[in-house]
Amino acid sequence: MSVVAQIFVVIAGVFHVVVFAMESVLFRKPSTYRRFLVKDTEVETARPWAFNQGFYNLFLAIGALGGLVWGGDKGHAIALFACACMAGAGIVLLASDRRMVRAAATQAVPPILALVLAAIL
C-alpha cells in the first residue's frame, strides 16, 4: 500500500478514535450530544446507543490502524476492510439524515480516498 493511502488510513482511524471518545466518554456534555442532533430531553435515552456506537467506531479504528501496524498484505487487507466499513457507514449516515452531510463527509471521505489510492498507486 502506498504511503499516501496509508496517510488516509491513519486520518480515518484517528477520526474514529475521536468519535469513540465523543460517543462513549463525552456524550453527556451538551456540546457533544448536540453535534449528534440529540436534544436535551433525549440524552439519557440516546446515551446507551451512543456508548455502543462509540465502540463500533473504536473497533473500526483499531482495524485500520492495527492493520497498518501489522503490515504486509494481510495487515493492509484488514486496514482497507475497516476503511470500506467506515466509508459505508458514512454513506448510510448521509442517506439516513441529510442534515448530517458534514459529519458523513468527514467520516467517509478519508477512508474512500485510502481505498481509491490503495487501488491505483
Side-chain angles (χ1 to χ4, degrees):
M1 183 184 323
S2 73
V3 172
V4 178
Q6 290 181 38
I7 289 169
F8 282 101
V9 172
V10 169
I11 291 168
V14 169
F15 172 79
H16 281 75
V17 169
V18 170
V19 173
F20 156 75
M22 291 171 62
E23 291 176 333
S24 295
V25 179
L26 304 171
F27 190 75
R28 286 189 172 151
K29 291 179 63 176
S31 61
T32 300
Y33 64 74
R34 288 183 185 138
R35 285 181 180 266
F36 297 99
L37 305 180
V38 174
K39 298 175 185 168
D40 296 342
T41 57
E42 301 168 334
V43 173
E44 288 308 311
T45 302
R47 194 177 61 76
W49 158 85
F51 184 79
N52 187 26
Q53 187 65 32
F55 276 90
Y56 273 89
N57 285 304
L58 179 62
F59 299 147
L60 288 173
I62 290 169
L65 300 172
L68 287 184
V69 170
W70 187 340
D73 290 342
K74 292 177 183 177
H76 292 164
I78 292 168
L80 293 174
F81 177 75
C83 283
C85 292
M86 292 172 182
I91 292 166
V92 169
L93 178 60
L94 179 60
S96 67
D97 191 338
R98 299 278 187 214
R99 295 174 297 168
M100 301 298 282
V101 65
R102 183 175 170 198
T106 306
Q107 178 178 356
V109 169
I112 289 171
L113 288 173
L115 291 164
V116 169
L117 291 167
I120 65 172
L121 297 180

